Amino acid sequence: VLGCGYVGMRLAHQCLARGDHVTGLVRSQEGLDRLARAGFPGARLDLATEGLGQLPLTGANLFHLAPPPEAGTEDTHTRRLVESFARTGHPARILYISTTGVYGDCDGRWVDETWPASPTTDRSRRRWDAEQCLVRWSTQSAGELVILRVAGIYGPERLPLERSRRGVPL
């Protein structure tokens, strides 16, 4: 589980309960300590500065929940991840959590997976870039790819309530 924060921990619990082997990947020592307290094997990995090292992924199911970089229009984290597969082996499947933001402003219309992407913010462009990088990986490697475009994921104490009260975009 790459990006094993609040949602990743919940996912890891479900996988362990099913009998799966789980490794949580986090970028900070604090995250690694949190995983240890929860009893999960973990590894520290910062895709902003490094690839996967020697973490074996051949045939694995990889849940990619890590956020993109804070700036720019490219997701260099996902690009670095995919480049690492040449050394670590290709996973059998990647499930990537993206955002409905890749659709852009749809003027309140109903949108489904067939709606064309038209990201309008740099954050959404970074997510779209990650999606395209992963699609290329899937096409070239024959690895299975699942992209989930989620409208919003907020763990405890993370709801944008103050932004909502002020009436600014969420």
PDB file of all heavy atoms in Angstrom, residues 32-56:
ATOM      1  N   LEU A  32       6.151   5.597   9.461  1.00  0.00           N
ATOM      2  CA  LEU A  32       6.703   4.270   9.731  1.00  0.00           C
ATOM      3  C   LEU A  32       6.414   3.851  11.170  1.00  0.00           C
ATOM      4  O   LEU A  32       6.039   2.696  11.432  1.00  0.00           O
ATOM      5  CB  LEU A  32       8.205   4.288   9.459  1.00  0.00           C
ATOM      6  CG  LEU A  32       8.889   2.969   9.223  1.00  0.00           C
ATOM      7  CD1 LEU A  32       8.239   2.181   8.100  1.00  0.00           C
ATOM      8  CD2 LEU A  32      10.356   3.201   8.918  1.00  0.00           C
ATOM      9  N   ASP A  33       6.536   4.777  12.109  1.00  0.00           N
ATOM     10  CA  ASP A  33       6.222   4.500  13.511  1.00  0.00           C
ATOM     11  C   ASP A  33       4.739   4.164  13.679  1.00  0.00           C
ATOM     12  O   ASP A  33       4.379   3.261  14.438  1.00  0.00           O
ATOM     13  CB  ASP A  33       6.584   5.694  14.401  1.00  0.00           C
ATOM     14  CG  ASP A  33       8.081   5.956  14.452  1.00  0.00           C
ATOM     15  OD1 ASP A  33       8.875   5.059  14.075  1.00  0.00           O
ATOM     16  OD2 ASP A  33       8.463   7.083  14.847  1.00  0.00           O
ATOM     17  N   ARG A  34       3.886   4.878  12.958  1.00  0.00           N
ATOM     18  CA  ARG A  34       2.442   4.620  13.019  1.00  0.00           C
ATOM     19  C   ARG A  34       2.133   3.209  12.520  1.00  0.00           C
ATOM     20  O   ARG A  34       1.332   2.486  13.103  1.00  0.00           O
ATOM     21  CB  ARG A  34       1.695   5.675  12.194  1.00  0.00           C
ATOM     22  CG  ARG A  34       0.192   5.542  12.222  1.00  0.00           C
ATOM     23  CD  ARG A  34      -0.499   6.663  11.441  1.00  0.00           C
ATOM     24  NE  ARG A  34       0.220   7.185  10.281  1.00  0.00           N
ATOM     25  CZ  ARG A  34       0.294   6.582   9.086  1.00  0.00           C
ATOM     26  NH1 ARG A  34      -0.304   5.437   8.890  1.00  0.00           N
ATOM     27  NH2 ARG A  34       0.958   7.150   8.095  1.00  0.00           N
ATOM     28  N   LEU A  35       2.775   2.801  11.436  1.00  0.00           N
ATOM     29  CA  LEU A  35       2.582   1.450  10.919  1.00  0.00           C
ATOM     30  C   LEU A  35       3.029   0.404  11.935  1.00  0.00           C
ATOM     31  O   LEU A  35       2.351  -0.605  12.145  1.00  0.00           O
ATOM     32  CB  LEU A  35       3.349   1.252   9.611  1.00  0.00           C
ATOM     33  CG  LEU A  35       2.839   1.981   8.381  1.00  0.00           C
ATOM     34  CD1 LEU A  35       3.787   1.750   7.207  1.00  0.00           C
ATOM     35  CD2 LEU A  35       1.443   1.534   8.023  1.00  0.00           C
ATOM     36  N   ALA A  36       4.182   0.650  12.560  1.00  0.00           N
ATOM     37  CA  ALA A  36       4.705  -0.295  13.555  1.00  0.00           C
ATOM     38  C   ALA A  36       3.736  -0.431  14.726  1.00  0.00           C
ATOM     39  O   ALA A  36       3.481  -1.549  15.197  1.00  0.00           O
ATOM     40  CB  ALA A  36       6.083   0.156  14.037  1.00  0.00           C
ATOM     41  N   ARG A  37       3.179   0.688  15.199  1.00  0.00           N
ATOM     42  CA  ARG A  37       2.209   0.624  16.306  1.00  0.00           C
ATOM     43  C   ARG A  37       0.972  -0.179  15.917  1.00  0.00           C
ATOM     44  O   ARG A  37       0.363  -0.831  16.759  1.00  0.00           O
ATOM     45  CB  ARG A  37       1.800   2.026  16.745  1.00  0.00           C
ATOM     46  CG  ARG A  37       2.851   2.770  17.535  1.00  0.00           C
ATOM     47  CD  ARG A  37       2.313   4.031  18.185  1.00  0.00           C
ATOM     48  NE  ARG A  37       1.757   4.982  17.235  1.00  0.00           N
ATOM     49  CZ  ARG A  37       2.454   5.891  16.555  1.00  0.00           C
ATOM     50  NH1 ARG A  37       3.767   5.988  16.745  1.00  0.00           N
ATOM     51  NH2 ARG A  37       1.871   6.725  15.708  1.00  0.00           N
ATOM     52  N   ALA A  38       0.607  -0.133  14.642  1.00  0.00           N
ATOM     53  CA  ALA A  38      -0.565  -0.867  14.161  1.00  0.00           C
ATOM     54  C   ALA A  38      -0.226  -2.324  13.821  1.00  0.00           C
ATOM     55  O   ALA A  38      -1.117  -3.101  13.485  1.00  0.00           O
ATOM     56  CB  ALA A  38      -1.152  -0.167  12.937  1.00  0.00           C
ATOM     57  N   GLY A  39       1.060  -2.670  13.888  1.00  0.00           N
ATOM     58  CA  GLY A  39       1.462  -4.042  13.622  1.00  0.00           C
ATOM     59  C   GLY A  39       1.633  -4.382  12.154  1.00  0.00           C
ATOM     60  O   GLY A  39       1.621  -5.559  11.780  1.00  0.00           O
ATOM     61  N   PHE A  40       1.840  -3.367  11.319  1.00  0.00           N
ATOM     62  CA  PHE A  40       2.040  -3.591   9.891  1.00  0.00           C
ATOM     63  C   PHE A  40       3.517  -3.517   9.552  1.00  0.00           C
ATOM     64  O   PHE A  40       4.202  -2.597  10.001  1.00  0.00           O
ATOM     65  CB  PHE A  40       1.345  -2.519   9.044  1.00  0.00           C
ATOM     66  CG  PHE A  40      -0.135  -2.558   9.087  1.00  0.00           C
ATOM     67  CD1 PHE A  40      -0.840  -1.418   9.415  1.00  0.00           C
ATOM     68  CD2 PHE A  40      -0.848  -3.709   8.796  1.00  0.00           C
ATOM     69  CE1 PHE A  40      -2.216  -1.429   9.458  1.00  0.00           C
ATOM     70  CE2 PHE A  40      -2.220  -3.727   8.839  1.00  0.00           C
ATOM     71  CZ  PHE A  40      -2.911  -2.587   9.169  1.00  0.00           C
ATOM     72  N   PRO A  41       3.995  -4.436   8.715  1.00  0.00           N
ATOM     73  CA  PRO A  41       5.338  -4.237   8.193  1.00  0.00           C
ATOM     74  C   PRO A  41       5.330  -3.014   7.279  1.00  0.00           C
ATOM     75  O   PRO A  41       4.354  -2.778   6.564  1.00  0.00           O
ATOM     76  CB  PRO A  41       5.625  -5.507   7.398  1.00  0.00           C
ATOM     77  CG  PRO A  41       4.366  -6.285   7.347  1.00  0.00           C
ATOM     78  CD  PRO A  41       3.368  -5.648   8.245  1.00  0.00           C
ATOM     79  N   GLY A  42       6.373  -2.236   7.349  1.00  0.00           N
ATOM     80  CA  GLY A  42       6.402  -1.024   6.545  1.00  0.00           C
ATOM     81  C   GLY A  42       7.785  -0.717   6.037  1.00  0.00           C
ATOM     82  O   GLY A  42       8.775  -1.304   6.465  1.00  0.00           O
ATOM     83  N   ALA A  43       7.816   0.209   5.124  1.00  0.00           N
ATOM     84  CA  ALA A  43       9.082   0.705   4.588  1.00  0.00           C
ATOM     85  C   ALA A  43       8.923   2.196   4.340  1.00  0.00           C
ATOM     86  O   ALA A  43       7.844   2.668   4.001  1.00  0.00           O
ATOM     87  CB  ALA A  43       9.439  -0.015   3.291  1.00  0.00           C
ATOM     88  N   ARG A  44      10.008   2.891   4.539  1.00  0.00           N
ATOM     89  CA  ARG A  44      10.020   4.332   4.297  1.00  0.00           C
ATOM     90  C   ARG A  44      10.465   4.581   2.866  1.00  0.00           C
ATOM     91  O   ARG A  44      11.477   4.038   2.417  1.00  0.00           O
ATOM     92  CB  ARG A  44      10.977   5.000   5.277  1.00  0.00           C
ATOM     93  CG  ARG A  44      10.890   6.485   5.259  1.00  0.00           C
ATOM     94  CD  ARG A  44      11.678   7.054   6.406  1.00  0.00           C
ATOM     95  NE  ARG A  44      11.762   8.491   6.257  1.00  0.00           N
ATOM     96  CZ  ARG A  44      12.527   9.244   6.985  1.00  0.00           C
ATOM     97  NH1 ARG A  44      13.285   8.707   7.927  1.00  0.00           N
ATOM     98  NH2 ARG A  44      12.555  10.542   6.806  1.00  0.00           N
ATOM     99  N   LEU A  45       9.684   5.387   2.167  1.00  0.00           N
ATOM    100  CA  LEU A  45       9.947   5.641   0.763  1.00  0.00           C
ATOM    101  C   LEU A  45       9.426   7.018   0.407  1.00  0.00           C
ATOM    102  O   LEU A  45       8.251   7.309   0.614  1.00  0.00           O
ATOM    103  CB  LEU A  45       9.226   4.580  -0.088  1.00  0.00           C
ATOM    104  CG  LEU A  45       9.224   4.790  -1.581  1.00  0.00           C
ATOM    105  CD1 LEU A  45      10.623   4.583  -2.145  1.00  0.00           C
ATOM    106  CD2 LEU A  45       8.251   3.823  -2.234  1.00  0.00           C
ATOM    107  N   ASP A  46      10.290   7.851  -0.107  1.00  0.00           N
ATOM    108  CA  ASP A  46       9.880   9.191  -0.530  1.00  0.00           C
ATOM    109  C   ASP A  46      10.070   9.297  -2.033  1.00  0.00           C
ATOM    110  O   ASP A  46      11.184   9.474  -2.520  1.00  0.00           O
ATOM    111  CB  ASP A  46      10.695  10.256   0.199  1.00  0.00           C
ATOM    112  CG  ASP A  46      10.205  11.665  -0.083  1.00  0.00           C
ATOM    113  OD1 ASP A  46       9.323  11.837  -0.958  1.00  0.00           O
ATOM    114  OD2 ASP A  46      10.704  12.597   0.569  1.00  0.00           O
ATOM    115  N   LEU A  47       8.975   9.170  -2.772  1.00  0.00           N
ATOM    116  CA  LEU A  47       9.059   9.205  -4.231  1.00  0.00           C
ATOM    117  C   LEU A  47       9.458  10.573  -4.769  1.00  0.00           C
ATOM    118  O   LEU A  47       9.746  10.704  -5.950  1.00  0.00           O
ATOM    119  CB  LEU A  47       7.735   8.752  -4.848  1.00  0.00           C
ATOM    120  CG  LEU A  47       7.461   7.258  -4.747  1.00  0.00           C
ATOM    121  CD1 LEU A  47       6.050   6.947  -5.229  1.00  0.00           C
ATOM    122  CD2 LEU A  47       8.484   6.456  -5.538  1.00  0.00           C
ATOM    123  N   ALA A  48       9.489  11.582  -3.907  1.00  0.00           N
ATOM    124  CA  ALA A  48       9.954  12.892  -4.358  1.00  0.00           C
ATOM    125  C   ALA A  48      11.454  12.867  -4.630  1.00  0.00           C
ATOM    126  O   ALA A  48      11.952  13.638  -5.442  1.00  0.00           O
ATOM    127  CB  ALA A  48       9.629  13.956  -3.312  1.00  0.00           C
ATOM    128  N   THR A  49      12.163  11.947  -3.970  1.00  0.00           N
ATOM    129  CA  THR A  49      13.616  11.938  -4.100  1.00  0.00           C
ATOM    130  C   THR A  49      14.206  10.591  -4.488  1.00  0.00           C
ATOM    131  O   THR A  49      15.382  10.521  -4.825  1.00  0.00           O
ATOM    132  CB  THR A  49      14.264  12.362  -2.769  1.00  0.00           C
ATOM    133  OG1 THR A  49      13.846  11.452  -1.741  1.00  0.00           O
ATOM    134  CG2 THR A  49      13.860  13.778  -2.406  1.00  0.00           C
ATOM    135  N   GLU A  50      13.409   9.526  -4.433  1.00  0.00           N
ATOM    136  CA  GLU A  50      13.965   8.201  -4.697  1.00  0.00           C
ATOM    137  C   GLU A  50      12.932   7.285  -5.336  1.00  0.00           C
ATOM    138  O   GLU A  50      11.734   7.541  -5.272  1.00  0.00           O
ATOM    139  CB  GLU A  50      14.465   7.571  -3.395  1.00  0.00           C
ATOM    140  CG  GLU A  50      13.347   7.406  -2.356  1.00  0.00           C
ATOM    141  CD  GLU A  50      13.856   7.014  -0.989  1.00  0.00           C
ATOM    142  OE1 GLU A  50      14.809   6.233  -0.911  1.00  0.00           O
ATOM    143  OE2 GLU A  50      13.284   7.495  -0.008  1.00  0.00           O
ATOM    144  N   GLY A  51      13.416   6.215  -5.913  1.00  0.00           N
ATOM    145  CA  GLY A  51      12.543   5.184  -6.446  1.00  0.00           C
ATOM    146  C   GLY A  51      12.254   4.141  -5.383  1.00  0.00           C
ATOM    147  O   GLY A  51      12.416   4.392  -4.191  1.00  0.00           O
ATOM    148  N   LEU A  52      11.866   2.969  -5.808  1.00  0.00           N
ATOM    149  CA  LEU A  52      11.479   1.908  -4.880  1.00  0.00           C
ATOM    150  C   LEU A  52      12.653   1.159  -4.274  1.00  0.00           C
ATOM    151  O   LEU A  52      12.449   0.245  -3.486  1.00  0.00           O
ATOM    152  CB  LEU A  52      10.582   0.899  -5.595  1.00  0.00           C
ATOM    153  CG  LEU A  52       9.199   1.394  -5.964  1.00  0.00           C
ATOM    154  CD1 LEU A  52       8.485   0.368  -6.819  1.00  0.00           C
ATOM    155  CD2 LEU A  52       8.388   1.697  -4.718  1.00  0.00           C
ATOM    156  N   GLY A  53      13.864   1.516  -4.631  1.00  0.00           N
ATOM    157  CA  GLY A  53      15.010   0.776  -4.117  1.00  0.00           C
ATOM    158  C   GLY A  53      14.960  -0.647  -4.615  1.00  0.00           C
ATOM    159  O   GLY A  53      14.773  -0.897  -5.801  1.00  0.00           O
ATOM    160  N   GLN A  54      15.054  -1.597  -3.714  1.00  0.00           N
ATOM    161  CA  GLN A  54      15.040  -3.011  -4.087  1.00  0.00           C
ATOM    162  C   GLN A  54      13.771  -3.712  -3.624  1.00  0.00           C
ATOM    163  O   GLN A  54      13.735  -4.930  -3.522  1.00  0.00           O
ATOM    164  CB  GLN A  54      16.277  -3.705  -3.499  1.00  0.00           C
ATOM    165  CG  GLN A  54      17.585  -3.171  -4.049  1.00  0.00           C
ATOM    166  CD  GLN A  54      17.645  -3.254  -5.571  1.00  0.00           C
ATOM    167  OE1 GLN A  54      17.320  -4.260  -6.169  1.00  0.00           O
ATOM    168  NE2 GLN A  54      18.048  -2.156  -6.200  1.00  0.00           N
ATOM    169  N   LEU A  55      12.737  -2.964  -3.321  1.00  0.00           N
ATOM    170  CA  LEU A  55      11.481  -3.557  -2.874  1.00  0.00           C
ATOM    171  C   LEU A  55      10.911  -4.446  -3.979  1.00  0.00           C
ATOM    172  O   LEU A  55      10.597  -3.963  -5.061  1.00  0.00           O
ATOM    173  CB  LEU A  55      10.490  -2.446  -2.522  1.00  0.00           C
ATOM    174  CG  LEU A  55       9.177  -2.896  -1.909  1.00  0.00           C
ATOM    175  CD1 LEU A  55       9.420  -3.477  -0.518  1.00  0.00           C
ATOM    176  CD2 LEU A  55       8.219  -1.734  -1.813  1.00  0.00           C
ATOM    177  N   PRO A  56      10.804  -5.745  -3.742  1.00  0.00           N
ATOM    178  CA  PRO A  56      10.333  -6.639  -4.807  1.00  0.00           C
ATOM    179  C   PRO A  56       8.824  -6.482  -5.030  1.00  0.00           C
ATOM    180  O   PRO A  56       8.035  -6.580  -4.104  1.00  0.00           O
ATOM    181  CB  PRO A  56      10.665  -8.036  -4.262  1.00  0.00           C
ATOM    182  CG  PRO A  56      10.695  -7.877  -2.782  1.00  0.00           C
ATOM    183  CD  PRO A  56      11.127  -6.456  -2.509  1.00  0.00           C
TER     184      PRO A  56
END
